[in-house]
Amino acid sequence: MSDARDVLADEYNLLSVEVGERADRVATVAIERPDARNALNGQVRTELKDAVAAAEVDDDVRVLVLTGGEGSGAFVAGADVTEFQDRGLVEQREASSRPRVYETVDDASIPVIARINGHALGGGCELAQACDVRIARAGAKLGQPEINLGLIPGGGGTQRLARLVGEGQAMRLVLSGELIDAEEAREIGLVDDVAAEDDLDDAVYDLAESMAEKSPIALEFGKKAVKAGSRMSLEEGLEYESELFVQLFATEDKDEGIEAFLEGREPEFEGK
């Protein structure tokens, strides 16, 4: 057992962690604050950042699934508003210093799937947006209701949301505080798939397993290249993609993948 695995298996106070129990090379991190519907407080944010970092360096983890604990009825119901009550500008600026949990998830070198097993509101919706793929349970609600508190989204919701659903839909959700159900979220591009409660795990872990079978280097480069598409001009993105593609020709995984294809067998990627 590696040192990284020891860290990932630590007893978190507000998270539960499973590695390889639902699919090989897939880690599941669940937020466990049922009494607060998994609201993001400072401790949850810190523990999540630690868990993501540990998963990244664990050789036995190639895909990470983020979800809410089953006892809460929520993925993440939002930020813990009680922390805002007596906080002024200076304190909030310090609390908002980057990298926050959203950047930690977004920048992770491994694919991150949001298993949205209940409401994803405010900071919870932003956490889902920071993931690479979002699969929601039918009936779950999503939205950015911060405007109802005299605030705006502060965890990337005005930026990632517009990139996912377009400026008009983002304006509608951010400026009205309206909540939408998972089916509408799929229609506008906020989530990528919707599954009935009994089918949610199959949808999530079938996808996670199919990713985890691939070369971890190619997974990392593919994630980087796709994300670059919304952050660079087309010409810059094409150049970046080409450079990443070429770099993979220096890997043993590329050799293994080509040989396995030509020999008609399944490749065994080792991340080299």
Side-chain angles (χ1 to χ4, degrees):
M1 182 176 290
S2 67
D3 291 340
R5 172 59 60 81
D6 291 340
V7 172
L8 192 55
D10 275 347
E11 289 291 330
Y12 293 105
N13 290 320
L14 299 177
L15 303 180
S16 62
V17 179
E18 298 175 351
V19 179
E21 295 186 22
R22 305 195 193 194
D24 288 343
R25 299 190 178 95
V26 176
T28 300
V29 174
I31 300 168
E32 303 284 358
R33 286 193 77 200
D35 294 342
R37 303 193 71 198
N38 296 335
L40 296 175
N41 64 2
Q43 185 175 352
V44 170
R45 295 169 195 266
T46 297
E47 291 187 7
L48 267 178
K49 290 169 66 175
D50 288 346
V52 172
E56 285 188 274
V57 297
D58 190 326
D59 292 338
D60 292 327
V61 175
R62 294 186 183 175
V63 178
L64 177 62
V65 174
L66 292 186
T67 192
E70 297 302 329
S72 66
F75 172 69
V76 174
D80 192 331
V81 178
T82 62
E83 293 186 337
F84 296 167
Q85 189 170 12
D86 298 317
R87 187 179 289 172
L89 183 151
V90 173
E91 292 83 4
Q92 186 56 47
R93 177 165 285 142
E94 181 178 349
S96 296
S97 62
R98 300 172 67 184
R100 302 163 298 178
V101 66
Y102 312 105
E103 287 81 37
T104 300
V105 170
D106 195 351
D107 295 339
S109 59
I110 59 177
V112 184
I113 299 173
R115 177 183 176 273
I116 304 172
N117 58 322
H119 291 0
L121 311 178
C125 193
E126 291 172 307
L127 183 63
Q129 291 164 34
C131 296
D132 302 310
V133 180
R134 289 154 292 281
I135 300 177
R137 174 181 61 77
K141 296 285 188 180
L142 298 93
Q144 301 290 164
E146 291 91 342
I147 199 80
N148 298 319
L149 302 177
L151 295 169
I152 64 170
T158 65
Q159 304 301 306
R160 294 189 182 92
L161 182 59
R163 286 164 169 79
L164 289 169
V165 306
E167 186 175 290
Q169 293 287 7
M171 288 287 191
R172 173 170 73 97
L173 295 176
V174 169
L175 301 184
S176 73
E178 176 185 355
L179 306 185
I180 60 175
D181 61 27
E183 289 75 10
E184 183 177 353
R186 177 175 54 186
E187 290 173 5
I188 67 174
L190 178 51
V191 301
D192 304 294
D193 195 9
V194 176
E197 184 171 2
D198 292 342
D199 300 326
L200 181 60
D201 279 343
D202 286 343
V204 170
Y205 290 102
D206 285 352
L207 176 62
E209 188 171 35
S210 72
M211 291 179 178
E213 294 170 349
K214 309 303 189 289
S215 161
I217 308 173
L219 288 174
E220 179 181 358
F221 281 22
K223 175 174 174 173
K224 285 181 176 180
V226 172
K227 285 185 176 291
S230 65
R231 301 170 188 184
M232 298 178 178
S233 70
L234 177 59
E235 287 303 317
E236 290 171 329
L238 290 171
E239 185 67 29
Y240 185 58
E241 175 194 74
S242 178
E243 179 58 31
L244 293 176
F245 175 74
V246 169
Q247 287 182 26
L248 289 169
F249 277 70
T251 67
E252 294 180 18
D253 278 357
K254 169 263 177 185
D255 295 335
E256 167 64 11
I258 298 298
E259 290 175 10
F261 175 79
L262 295 175
E263 296 170 5
R265 60 177 175 80
E266 292 296 321
E268 296 181 7
F269 295 119
E270 296 186 6
K272 299 179 180 178

PDB file of all heavy atoms in Angstrom, residues 222-253:
ATOM      1  N   GLY A 222      -5.779  14.316 -22.570  1.00  0.00           N
ATOM      2  CA  GLY A 222      -7.084  14.540 -23.194  1.00  0.00           C
ATOM      3  C   GLY A 222      -7.908  15.547 -22.427  1.00  0.00           C
ATOM      4  O   GLY A 222      -8.556  16.425 -23.020  1.00  0.00           O
ATOM      5  N   LYS A 223      -7.875  15.462 -21.101  1.00  0.00           N
ATOM      6  CA  LYS A 223      -8.593  16.424 -20.265  1.00  0.00           C
ATOM      7  C   LYS A 223      -8.038  17.820 -20.474  1.00  0.00           C
ATOM      8  O   LYS A 223      -8.794  18.791 -20.647  1.00  0.00           O
ATOM      9  CB  LYS A 223      -8.489  15.998 -18.798  1.00  0.00           C
ATOM     10  CG  LYS A 223      -9.088  16.990 -17.814  1.00  0.00           C
ATOM     11  CD  LYS A 223      -9.092  16.438 -16.399  1.00  0.00           C
ATOM     12  CE  LYS A 223      -9.567  17.492 -15.404  1.00  0.00           C
ATOM     13  NZ  LYS A 223      -9.741  16.958 -14.050  1.00  0.00           N
ATOM     14  N   LYS A 224      -6.719  17.955 -20.480  1.00  0.00           N
ATOM     15  CA  LYS A 224      -6.105  19.267 -20.687  1.00  0.00           C
ATOM     16  C   LYS A 224      -6.504  19.853 -22.031  1.00  0.00           C
ATOM     17  O   LYS A 224      -6.821  21.047 -22.151  1.00  0.00           O
ATOM     18  CB  LYS A 224      -4.583  19.147 -20.617  1.00  0.00           C
ATOM     19  CG  LYS A 224      -4.004  18.965 -19.230  1.00  0.00           C
ATOM     20  CD  LYS A 224      -2.478  18.880 -19.306  1.00  0.00           C
ATOM     21  CE  LYS A 224      -1.842  18.786 -17.929  1.00  0.00           C
ATOM     22  NZ  LYS A 224      -0.365  18.698 -18.023  1.00  0.00           N
ATOM     23  N   ALA A 225      -6.491  19.030 -23.069  1.00  0.00           N
ATOM     24  CA  ALA A 225      -6.771  19.522 -24.413  1.00  0.00           C
ATOM     25  C   ALA A 225      -8.208  19.992 -24.542  1.00  0.00           C
ATOM     26  O   ALA A 225      -8.485  21.047 -25.133  1.00  0.00           O
ATOM     27  CB  ALA A 225      -6.466  18.437 -25.443  1.00  0.00           C
ATOM     28  N   VAL A 226      -9.149  19.221 -24.014  1.00  0.00           N
ATOM     29  CA  VAL A 226     -10.561  19.616 -24.110  1.00  0.00           C
ATOM     30  C   VAL A 226     -10.814  20.908 -23.348  1.00  0.00           C
ATOM     31  O   VAL A 226     -11.495  21.824 -23.835  1.00  0.00           O
ATOM     32  CB  VAL A 226     -11.474  18.481 -23.600  1.00  0.00           C
ATOM     33  CG1 VAL A 226     -12.916  18.966 -23.504  1.00  0.00           C
ATOM     34  CG2 VAL A 226     -11.391  17.273 -24.527  1.00  0.00           C
ATOM     35  N   LYS A 227     -10.262  21.012 -22.132  1.00  0.00           N
ATOM     36  CA  LYS A 227     -10.475  22.226 -21.350  1.00  0.00           C
ATOM     37  C   LYS A 227      -9.862  23.447 -22.026  1.00  0.00           C
ATOM     38  O   LYS A 227     -10.375  24.554 -21.902  1.00  0.00           O
ATOM     39  CB  LYS A 227      -9.908  22.050 -19.933  1.00  0.00           C
ATOM     40  CG  LYS A 227     -10.775  21.169 -19.047  1.00  0.00           C
ATOM     41  CD  LYS A 227     -10.255  21.119 -17.639  1.00  0.00           C
ATOM     42  CE  LYS A 227     -11.201  20.318 -16.749  1.00  0.00           C
ATOM     43  NZ  LYS A 227     -12.479  20.990 -16.531  1.00  0.00           N
ATOM     44  N   ALA A 228      -8.764  23.238 -22.740  1.00  0.00           N
ATOM     45  CA  ALA A 228      -8.123  24.355 -23.426  1.00  0.00           C
ATOM     46  C   ALA A 228      -9.046  24.970 -24.465  1.00  0.00           C
ATOM     47  O   ALA A 228      -8.924  26.160 -24.789  1.00  0.00           O
ATOM     48  CB  ALA A 228      -6.827  23.895 -24.087  1.00  0.00           C
ATOM     49  N   GLY A 229      -9.980  24.175 -24.983  1.00  0.00           N
ATOM     50  CA  GLY A 229     -10.858  24.660 -26.033  1.00  0.00           C
ATOM     51  C   GLY A 229     -11.702  25.846 -25.638  1.00  0.00           C
ATOM     52  O   GLY A 229     -12.045  26.682 -26.480  1.00  0.00           O
ATOM     53  N   SER A 230     -12.057  25.952 -24.354  1.00  0.00           N
ATOM     54  CA  SER A 230     -12.877  27.076 -23.902  1.00  0.00           C
ATOM     55  C   SER A 230     -12.038  28.208 -23.329  1.00  0.00           C
ATOM     56  O   SER A 230     -12.591  29.225 -22.901  1.00  0.00           O
ATOM     57  CB  SER A 230     -13.889  26.604 -22.844  1.00  0.00           C
ATOM     58  OG  SER A 230     -13.225  26.152 -21.673  1.00  0.00           O
ATOM     59  N   ARG A 231     -10.721  28.042 -23.336  1.00  0.00           N
ATOM     60  CA  ARG A 231      -9.851  29.012 -22.680  1.00  0.00           C
ATOM     61  C   ARG A 231      -8.799  29.596 -23.618  1.00  0.00           C
ATOM     62  O   ARG A 231      -8.012  30.437 -23.221  1.00  0.00           O
ATOM     63  CB  ARG A 231      -9.176  28.346 -21.472  1.00  0.00           C
ATOM     64  CG  ARG A 231     -10.213  27.834 -20.481  1.00  0.00           C
ATOM     65  CD  ARG A 231      -9.647  26.961 -19.394  1.00  0.00           C
ATOM     66  NE  ARG A 231     -10.729  26.367 -18.622  1.00  0.00           N
ATOM     67  CZ  ARG A 231     -10.560  25.607 -17.552  1.00  0.00           C
ATOM     68  NH1 ARG A 231      -9.350  25.349 -17.117  1.00  0.00           N
ATOM     69  NH2 ARG A 231     -11.604  25.109 -16.913  1.00  0.00           N
ATOM     70  N   MET A 232      -8.790  29.122 -24.852  1.00  0.00           N
ATOM     71  CA  MET A 232      -7.851  29.617 -25.849  1.00  0.00           C
ATOM     72  C   MET A 232      -8.610  29.922 -27.130  1.00  0.00           C
ATOM     73  O   MET A 232      -9.748  29.481 -27.312  1.00  0.00           O
ATOM     74  CB  MET A 232      -6.776  28.554 -26.158  1.00  0.00           C
ATOM     75  CG  MET A 232      -5.891  28.143 -25.017  1.00  0.00           C
ATOM     76  SD  MET A 232      -4.724  26.850 -25.569  1.00  0.00           S
ATOM     77  CE  MET A 232      -3.787  26.594 -24.061  1.00  0.00           C
ATOM     78  N   SER A 233      -7.969  30.638 -28.024  1.00  0.00           N
ATOM     79  CA  SER A 233      -8.523  30.786 -29.363  1.00  0.00           C
ATOM     80  C   SER A 233      -8.444  29.435 -30.072  1.00  0.00           C
ATOM     81  O   SER A 233      -7.725  28.528 -29.635  1.00  0.00           O
ATOM     82  CB  SER A 233      -7.740  31.830 -30.152  1.00  0.00           C
ATOM     83  OG  SER A 233      -6.441  31.343 -30.465  1.00  0.00           O
ATOM     84  N   LEU A 234      -9.161  29.288 -31.180  1.00  0.00           N
ATOM     85  CA  LEU A 234      -9.129  28.032 -31.922  1.00  0.00           C
ATOM     86  C   LEU A 234      -7.710  27.696 -32.356  1.00  0.00           C
ATOM     87  O   LEU A 234      -7.260  26.553 -32.208  1.00  0.00           O
ATOM     88  CB  LEU A 234     -10.049  28.117 -33.143  1.00  0.00           C
ATOM     89  CG  LEU A 234     -10.058  26.886 -34.059  1.00  0.00           C
ATOM     90  CD1 LEU A 234     -10.476  25.637 -33.300  1.00  0.00           C
ATOM     91  CD2 LEU A 234     -10.973  27.116 -35.255  1.00  0.00           C
ATOM     92  N   GLU A 235      -6.996  28.662 -32.887  1.00  0.00           N
ATOM     93  CA  GLU A 235      -5.633  28.400 -33.361  1.00  0.00           C
ATOM     94  C   GLU A 235      -4.722  27.988 -32.212  1.00  0.00           C
ATOM     95  O   GLU A 235      -3.910  27.064 -32.345  1.00  0.00           O
ATOM     96  CB  GLU A 235      -5.075  29.634 -34.078  1.00  0.00           C
ATOM     97  CG  GLU A 235      -5.678  29.866 -35.445  1.00  0.00           C
ATOM     98  CD  GLU A 235      -5.512  28.666 -36.373  1.00  0.00           C
ATOM     99  OE1 GLU A 235      -4.411  28.083 -36.402  1.00  0.00           O
ATOM    100  OE2 GLU A 235      -6.500  28.305 -37.042  1.00  0.00           O
ATOM    101  N   GLU A 236      -4.843  28.671 -31.075  1.00  0.00           N
ATOM    102  CA  GLU A 236      -4.029  28.306 -29.910  1.00  0.00           C
ATOM    103  C   GLU A 236      -4.383  26.906 -29.417  1.00  0.00           C
ATOM    104  O   GLU A 236      -3.506  26.117 -29.062  1.00  0.00           O
ATOM    105  CB  GLU A 236      -4.238  29.314 -28.785  1.00  0.00           C
ATOM    106  CG  GLU A 236      -3.654  30.691 -29.054  1.00  0.00           C
ATOM    107  CD  GLU A 236      -4.080  31.701 -28.014  1.00  0.00           C
ATOM    108  OE1 GLU A 236      -5.204  31.573 -27.465  1.00  0.00           O
ATOM    109  OE2 GLU A 236      -3.287  32.620 -27.736  1.00  0.00           O
ATOM    110  N   GLY A 237      -5.690  26.605 -29.401  1.00  0.00           N
ATOM    111  CA  GLY A 237      -6.129  25.292 -28.953  1.00  0.00           C
ATOM    112  C   GLY A 237      -5.645  24.174 -29.861  1.00  0.00           C
ATOM    113  O   GLY A 237      -5.230  23.109 -29.392  1.00  0.00           O
ATOM    114  N   LEU A 238      -5.692  24.406 -31.175  1.00  0.00           N
ATOM    115  CA  LEU A 238      -5.209  23.398 -32.110  1.00  0.00           C
ATOM    116  C   LEU A 238      -3.712  23.148 -31.940  1.00  0.00           C
ATOM    117  O   LEU A 238      -3.242  22.007 -31.999  1.00  0.00           O
ATOM    118  CB  LEU A 238      -5.512  23.838 -33.544  1.00  0.00           C
ATOM    119  CG  LEU A 238      -6.990  23.816 -33.948  1.00  0.00           C
ATOM    120  CD1 LEU A 238      -7.180  24.487 -35.300  1.00  0.00           C
ATOM    121  CD2 LEU A 238      -7.528  22.385 -33.980  1.00  0.00           C
ATOM    122  N   GLU A 239      -2.965  24.221 -31.724  1.00  0.00           N
ATOM    123  CA  GLU A 239      -1.523  24.085 -31.509  1.00  0.00           C
ATOM    124  C   GLU A 239      -1.241  23.317 -30.222  1.00  0.00           C
ATOM    125  O   GLU A 239      -0.350  22.454 -30.171  1.00  0.00           O
ATOM    126  CB  GLU A 239      -0.869  25.466 -31.459  1.00  0.00           C
ATOM    127  CG  GLU A 239       0.637  25.455 -31.354  1.00  0.00           C
ATOM    128  CD  GLU A 239       1.306  24.900 -32.608  1.00  0.00           C
ATOM    129  OE1 GLU A 239       0.734  25.030 -33.704  1.00  0.00           O
ATOM    130  OE2 GLU A 239       2.407  24.323 -32.470  1.00  0.00           O
ATOM    131  N   TYR A 240      -1.996  23.617 -29.172  1.00  0.00           N
ATOM    132  CA  TYR A 240      -1.818  22.944 -27.888  1.00  0.00           C
ATOM    133  C   TYR A 240      -2.164  21.461 -28.016  1.00  0.00           C
ATOM    134  O   TYR A 240      -1.428  20.585 -27.531  1.00  0.00           O
ATOM    135  CB  TYR A 240      -2.708  23.619 -26.854  1.00  0.00           C
ATOM    136  CG  TYR A 240      -2.555  23.116 -25.438  1.00  0.00           C
ATOM    137  CD1 TYR A 240      -1.333  23.155 -24.781  1.00  0.00           C
ATOM    138  CD2 TYR A 240      -3.657  22.612 -24.744  1.00  0.00           C
ATOM    139  CE1 TYR A 240      -1.200  22.703 -23.478  1.00  0.00           C
ATOM    140  CE2 TYR A 240      -3.537  22.160 -23.439  1.00  0.00           C
ATOM    141  CZ  TYR A 240      -2.307  22.208 -22.817  1.00  0.00           C
ATOM    142  OH  TYR A 240      -2.184  21.751 -21.529  1.00  0.00           O
ATOM    143  N   GLU A 241      -3.281  21.164 -28.673  1.00  0.00           N
ATOM    144  CA  GLU A 241      -3.674  19.775 -28.887  1.00  0.00           C
ATOM    145  C   GLU A 241      -2.592  19.005 -29.640  1.00  0.00           C
ATOM    146  O   GLU A 241      -2.225  17.881 -29.274  1.00  0.00           O
ATOM    147  CB  GLU A 241      -4.976  19.726 -29.676  1.00  0.00           C
ATOM    148  CG  GLU A 241      -5.421  18.319 -30.062  1.00  0.00           C
ATOM    149  CD  GLU A 241      -6.498  18.332 -31.117  1.00  0.00           C
ATOM    150  OE1 GLU A 241      -6.177  18.616 -32.298  1.00  0.00           O
ATOM    151  OE2 GLU A 241      -7.657  18.064 -30.768  1.00  0.00           O
ATOM    152  N   SER A 242      -2.068  19.614 -30.704  1.00  0.00           N
ATOM    153  CA  SER A 242      -1.041  18.952 -31.509  1.00  0.00           C
ATOM    154  C   SER A 242       0.203  18.643 -30.688  1.00  0.00           C
ATOM    155  O   SER A 242       0.789  17.558 -30.799  1.00  0.00           O
ATOM    156  CB  SER A 242      -0.675  19.841 -32.701  1.00  0.00           C
ATOM    157  OG  SER A 242       0.340  19.242 -33.478  1.00  0.00           O
ATOM    158  N   GLU A 243       0.599  19.591 -29.823  1.00  0.00           N
ATOM    159  CA  GLU A 243       1.784  19.368 -29.002  1.00  0.00           C
ATOM    160  C   GLU A 243       1.568  18.236 -28.005  1.00  0.00           C
ATOM    161  O   GLU A 243       2.453  17.386 -27.803  1.00  0.00           O
ATOM    162  CB  GLU A 243       2.162  20.659 -28.268  1.00  0.00           C
ATOM    163  CG  GLU A 243       3.374  20.535 -27.356  1.00  0.00           C
ATOM    164  CD  GLU A 243       4.633  20.067 -28.071  1.00  0.00           C
ATOM    165  OE1 GLU A 243       4.790  20.366 -29.269  1.00  0.00           O
ATOM    166  OE2 GLU A 243       5.456  19.382 -27.424  1.00  0.00           O
ATOM    167  N   LEU A 244       0.397  18.171 -27.383  1.00  0.00           N
ATOM    168  CA  LEU A 244       0.101  17.085 -26.454  1.00  0.00           C
ATOM    169  C   LEU A 244       0.065  15.743 -27.183  1.00  0.00           C
ATOM    170  O   LEU A 244       0.562  14.728 -26.680  1.00  0.00           O
ATOM    171  CB  LEU A 244      -1.232  17.343 -25.742  1.00  0.00           C
ATOM    172  CG  LEU A 244      -1.265  18.529 -24.777  1.00  0.00           C
ATOM    173  CD1 LEU A 244      -2.676  18.711 -24.225  1.00  0.00           C
ATOM    174  CD2 LEU A 244      -0.279  18.353 -23.634  1.00  0.00           C
ATOM    175  N   PHE A 245      -0.543  15.732 -28.363  1.00  0.00           N
ATOM    176  CA  PHE A 245      -0.606  14.522 -29.178  1.00  0.00           C
ATOM    177  C   PHE A 245       0.793  14.000 -29.476  1.00  0.00           C
ATOM    178  O   PHE A 245       1.091  12.814 -29.313  1.00  0.00           O
ATOM    179  CB  PHE A 245      -1.361  14.838 -30.475  1.00  0.00           C
ATOM    180  CG  PHE A 245      -1.412  13.711 -31.464  1.00  0.00           C
ATOM    181  CD1 PHE A 245      -2.229  12.612 -31.261  1.00  0.00           C
ATOM    182  CD2 PHE A 245      -0.651  13.756 -32.624  1.00  0.00           C
ATOM    183  CE1 PHE A 245      -2.286  11.574 -32.184  1.00  0.00           C
ATOM    184  CE2 PHE A 245      -0.693  12.730 -33.555  1.00  0.00           C
ATOM    185  CZ  PHE A 245      -1.511  11.632 -33.332  1.00  0.00           C
ATOM    186  N   VAL A 246       1.673  14.880 -29.898  1.00  0.00           N
ATOM    187  CA  VAL A 246       3.043  14.491 -30.236  1.00  0.00           C
ATOM    188  C   VAL A 246       3.775  13.961 -29.007  1.00  0.00           C
ATOM    189  O   VAL A 246       4.515  12.956 -29.089  1.00  0.00           O
ATOM    190  CB  VAL A 246       3.797  15.688 -30.853  1.00  0.00           C
ATOM    191  CG1 VAL A 246       5.291  15.390 -30.963  1.00  0.00           C
ATOM    192  CG2 VAL A 246       3.225  16.035 -32.222  1.00  0.00           C
ATOM    193  N   GLN A 247       3.572  14.602 -27.853  1.00  0.00           N
ATOM    194  CA  GLN A 247       4.269  14.170 -26.639  1.00  0.00           C
ATOM    195  C   GLN A 247       3.932  12.731 -26.262  1.00  0.00           C
ATOM    196  O   GLN A 247       4.764  12.007 -25.701  1.00  0.00           O
ATOM    197  CB  GLN A 247       3.937  15.114 -25.483  1.00  0.00           C
ATOM    198  CG  GLN A 247       4.598  16.479 -25.589  1.00  0.00           C
ATOM    199  CD  GLN A 247       4.281  17.353 -24.387  1.00  0.00           C
ATOM    200  OE1 GLN A 247       3.998  16.858 -23.309  1.00  0.00           O
ATOM    201  NE2 GLN A 247       4.345  18.660 -24.586  1.00  0.00           N
ATOM    202  N   LEU A 248       2.727  12.292 -26.571  1.00  0.00           N
ATOM    203  CA  LEU A 248       2.319  10.928 -26.224  1.00  0.00           C
ATOM    204  C   LEU A 248       3.107   9.876 -26.998  1.00  0.00           C
ATOM    205  O   LEU A 248       3.148   8.711 -26.592  1.00  0.00           O
ATOM    206  CB  LEU A 248       0.817  10.748 -26.466  1.00  0.00           C
ATOM    207  CG  LEU A 248      -0.082  11.490 -25.470  1.00  0.00           C
ATOM    208  CD1 LEU A 248      -1.533  11.477 -25.933  1.00  0.00           C
ATOM    209  CD2 LEU A 248       0.033  10.878 -24.072  1.00  0.00           C
ATOM    210  N   PHE A 249       3.760  10.269 -28.095  1.00  0.00           N
ATOM    211  CA  PHE A 249       4.565   9.323 -28.854  1.00  0.00           C
ATOM    212  C   PHE A 249       5.851   8.952 -28.129  1.00  0.00           C
ATOM    213  O   PHE A 249       6.576   8.047 -28.563  1.00  0.00           O
ATOM    214  CB  PHE A 249       4.862   9.890 -30.247  1.00  0.00           C
ATOM    215  CG  PHE A 249       3.742   9.668 -31.217  1.00  0.00           C
ATOM    216  CD1 PHE A 249       2.549  10.362 -31.084  1.00  0.00           C
ATOM    217  CD2 PHE A 249       3.861   8.750 -32.248  1.00  0.00           C
ATOM    218  CE1 PHE A 249       1.505  10.159 -31.958  1.00  0.00           C
ATOM    219  CE2 PHE A 249       2.805   8.529 -33.135  1.00  0.00           C
ATOM    220  CZ  PHE A 249       1.625   9.240 -32.995  1.00  0.00           C
ATOM    221  N   ALA A 250       6.140   9.616 -27.032  1.00  0.00           N
ATOM    222  CA  ALA A 250       7.306   9.272 -26.218  1.00  0.00           C
ATOM    223  C   ALA A 250       6.954   8.310 -25.085  1.00  0.00           C
ATOM    224  O   ALA A 250       7.821   7.962 -24.280  1.00  0.00           O
ATOM    225  CB  ALA A 250       7.929  10.541 -25.629  1.00  0.00           C
ATOM    226  N   THR A 251       5.700   7.846 -25.010  1.00  0.00           N
ATOM    227  CA  THR A 251       5.261   7.021 -23.887  1.00  0.00           C
ATOM    228  C   THR A 251       5.222   5.541 -24.248  1.00  0.00           C
ATOM    229  O   THR A 251       4.970   5.158 -25.403  1.00  0.00           O
ATOM    230  CB  THR A 251       3.862   7.439 -23.408  1.00  0.00           C
ATOM    231  OG1 THR A 251       2.886   7.131 -24.416  1.00  0.00           O
ATOM    232  CG2 THR A 251       3.818   8.929 -23.103  1.00  0.00           C
ATOM    233  N   GLU A 252       5.440   4.715 -23.235  1.00  0.00           N
ATOM    234  CA  GLU A 252       5.282   3.272 -23.413  1.00  0.00           C
ATOM    235  C   GLU A 252       3.814   2.908 -23.616  1.00  0.00           C
ATOM    236  O   GLU A 252       3.504   1.918 -24.291  1.00  0.00           O
ATOM    237  CB  GLU A 252       5.846   2.546 -22.201  1.00  0.00           C
ATOM    238  CG  GLU A 252       7.357   2.682 -22.038  1.00  0.00           C
ATOM    239  CD  GLU A 252       7.891   1.958 -20.819  1.00  0.00           C
ATOM    240  OE1 GLU A 252       7.184   1.079 -20.286  1.00  0.00           O
ATOM    241  OE2 GLU A 252       9.026   2.270 -20.392  1.00  0.00           O
ATOM    242  N   ASP A 253       2.923   3.690 -23.034  1.00  0.00           N
ATOM    243  CA  ASP A 253       1.496   3.418 -23.210  1.00  0.00           C
ATOM    244  C   ASP A 253       1.081   3.522 -24.672  1.00  0.00           C
ATOM    245  O   ASP A 253       0.241   2.752 -25.156  1.00  0.00           O
ATOM    246  CB  ASP A 253       0.660   4.385 -22.359  1.00  0.00           C
ATOM    247  CG  ASP A 253       0.558   3.945 -20.917  1.00  0.00           C
ATOM    248  OD1 ASP A 253       1.080   2.860 -20.574  1.00  0.00           O
ATOM    249  OD2 ASP A 253      -0.049   4.680 -20.115  1.00  0.00           O
TER     250      ASP A 253
END
